[in-house]
Amino acid sequence: MKVDGKEMRPIWLKEDGHTVQVIDQRQLPHALVILDLARVDDVIMAIQEMVVRGAPLIGVTAAYGVFIAALNAKDRSDHADFFRQECDRIKAARPTAINLIWGVERVVAAVKGMGGDTARIEAARAEAGCIAEEEAENCRLIGEYGVAIVEKISRQKNRSTVNILTHCNAGWLACIEYGTATAPMYAAFEKGLDIHIWVDETRPLNQGARLTAWELGKHGIDHTIVTDNAGGHLMQHGMVDLVIVGTDRTTHTGDVANKIGTYLKALAAHDNQVPFYVALPSSTFDWELKNGVTDIPIEERDPDEVRYVQGLGPDGVKKVMISPLDSRAANHAFDVTPARLVTGFITERGVCKASEEAIHTLFPEKTGT
Ligand code: MRU
């Protein structure tokens, strides 16, 4: 997507063919900083510290991490053990987004059986690049299918403004291009539909206020940042026509893990008959787990992310404490919205109901996996 007229992605391979570069999302919107990832430790740090974040981007970064592991395994007598251990370390970087494991396993499978370091490195580089392109195309298709939902509401409202609420950042920064939840918004904007986005700030790390607002603003899409607690009020007063969110892991039965606070938005949407859609590429489905509420691992992050906020002051970007020094804090990073509260899924194959049957009808090759 374009940033100030320049095409950008959140991750790419440098011309030298071996250095992976990423946008440091911790610094946005105040600074556009690029980081090099040259070692597996850099990849793990980037995922854990949320230099990169969002399920599809975590998957692509993990895929490039396997490429870096293959590069670093070159000429080592223990290359097979070393490579396996490095891949296991990448897989353990964050627990909730299924794309992390998926991205590692896809590149490991592509490398399997390759003889010689050069062939392994080439195969890993090609597969990671292929995953990045596929995810970009998946998001484009999510936009194409999702825009029909926006268009229908626009027609019902005689072309007046369609108000869409989103939570966290499921934009191109979290993916490769277009985003998942934002793809239908970008597509609607391109079609000239009148849209306005309510952007949940998304405490504690403010991915909505910092990242979604930045993305939408750079694209010229009308938006308003609201506190995480505002959604229910907005819905009660007819100010939200549609909710679209992303997801970090969705069971094949339709339960959706996403950024903490998503479940409350789904409850409010249900109570107010506001359609609640989840946009995702197939890489975010978990084809094994059945019960998202009990079985999806929920990351608990450093409580200091709750106790402090980061922002821009007269002396630059800094962190300030907002709680009493001795108060405990807890930081559950995700929650699970049960399938019964989800109106539908927007995927690269089309839109379907949030049920096991509908999901498997769209992805029949996954039945029995
Ligand atoms: O903790 P984060 O910022 O990685 O969480 C991201 C989200 O919850 C996104 O909504 C989700 O990954 C979908 S991204 C297309």
Side-chain angles (χ1 to χ4, degrees):
M1 303 292 277
K2 282 207 165 69
V3 178
D4 302 331
K6 192 176 163 224
E7 277 298 337
M8 285 215 90
R9 283 182 169 185
I11 189 166
W12 63 92
L13 191 62
K14 226 170 142 179
E15 293 87 54
D16 64 12
H18 56 82
T19 312
V20 177
Q21 293 196 305
V22 293
I23 296 177
D24 184 349
Q25 300 193 21
R26 297 169 303 180
Q27 314 286 339
L28 286 172
H30 307 301
L32 185 57
V33 176
I34 310 299
L35 289 189
D36 285 1
L37 309 181
R39 298 165 313 137
V40 167
D41 280 343
D42 299 335
V43 171
I44 292 170
M45 179 285 292
I47 294 172
Q48 285 179 340
E49 300 297 317
M50 293 172 60
V51 169
V52 293
R53 25 77 40 210
L57 178 59
I58 290 173
V60 173
T61 308
Y64 274 117
V66 178
F67 160 63
I68 292 170
L71 273 175
N72 295 342
K74 188 169 181 284
D75 298 333
R76 287 181 69 115
S77 55
D78 62 342
H79 72 83
D81 286 345
F82 174 81
F83 180 69
R84 199 179 44 249
Q85 281 158 14
E86 292 294 79
C87 292
D88 287 346
R89 286 203 308 130
I90 299 168
K91 273 191 197 172
R94 283 187 81 184
T96 304
I98 186 91
N99 301 59
L100 174 62
I101 297 169
W102 173 88
V104 170
E105 285 178 353
R106 255 195 68 169
V107 183
V108 167
V111 166
K112 205 170 173 197
M114 293 277 167
D117 287 331
T118 311
R120 277 192 289 272
I121 291 166
E122 279 313 314
R125 187 193 346 250
E127 189 65 5
C130 185
I131 292 174
E133 294 312 317
E134 268 177 39
E135 291 297 59
E137 176 60 6
N138 288 341
C139 287
R140 191 187 69 74
L141 290 166
I142 287 169
E144 278 197 3
Y145 288 115
V147 76
I149 297 166
V150 183
E151 243 173 341
K152 190 171 165 203
I153 296 172
S154 169
R155 272 197 308 274
Q156 285 162 354
K157 291 188 76 177
N158 292 322
R159 301 283 169 192
S160 63
T161 310
V162 179
N163 289 294
I164 307 171
L165 183 138
T166 192
H167 191 68
C168 195
N169 172 262
W172 66 264
L173 284 167
C175 304
I176 298 295
E177 302 269 10
Y178 313 104
T180 53
T182 54
M185 303 172 196
Y186 288 124
F189 183 75
E190 293 313 317
K191 284 194 155 191
L193 299 179
D194 185 356
I195 56 168
H196 164 260
I197 316 300
W198 294 111
V199 177
D200 281 355
E201 60 175 350
T202 319
R203 278 280 290 146
L205 295 181
N206 292 314
Q207 290 94 324
R210 293 188 304 109
L211 306 176
T212 305
W214 182 78
E215 271 194 32
L216 295 175
K218 290 285 173 205
H219 214 81
I221 297 183
D222 187 24
H223 63 279
T224 306
I225 300 166
V226 287
T227 63
D228 290 327
N229 306 323
H233 166 77
L234 296 175
M235 292 184 213
Q236 255 177 352
H237 291 270
M239 290 189 272
V240 181
D241 299 301
L242 170 67
V243 179
I244 313 179
V245 297
T247 167
D248 290 82
R249 186 188 300 223
T250 287
T251 63
H252 63 120
T253 54
D255 295 340
V256 174
N258 193 45
K259 181 54 55 191
I260 193 81
T262 303
Y263 173 43
L264 290 176
K265 294 300 136 59
L267 284 170
H270 185 74
D271 195 42
N272 292 283
Q273 295 88 48
V274 173
F276 182 96
Y277 281 92
V278 178
L280 73 164
S282 50
S283 53
T284 307
F285 278 113
D286 185 319
W287 299 103
E288 285 171 16
L289 297 187
K290 268 187 170 297
N291 187 331
V293 177
T294 54
D295 296 347
I296 295 180
I298 300 296
E299 179 179 17
E300 287 187 44
R301 294 184 61 82
D302 187 341
D304 276 354
E305 290 179 353
V306 175
R307 286 149 38 91
Y308 290 81
V309 285
Q310 176 180 298
L312 183 64
D315 308 321
V317 174
K318 70 173 181 195
K319 271 191 181 151
V320 291
M321 188 176 233
I322 55 170
S323 64
L325 255 181
D326 51 0
S327 287
R328 258 200 315 273
N331 190 5
H332 302 92
F334 301 95
D335 59 25
V336 175
T337 300
R340 67 186 159 79
L341 298 176
V342 177
T343 308
F345 292 120
I346 311 170
T347 78
E348 74 268 24
R349 297 234 182 125
V351 178
C352 74
K353 285 216 173 90
S355 73
E356 185 168 358
E357 195 193 345
I359 294 167
H360 281 274
T361 302
L362 218 47
F363 296 94
E365 74 279 16
K366 298 293 182 187
T367 303
T369 55

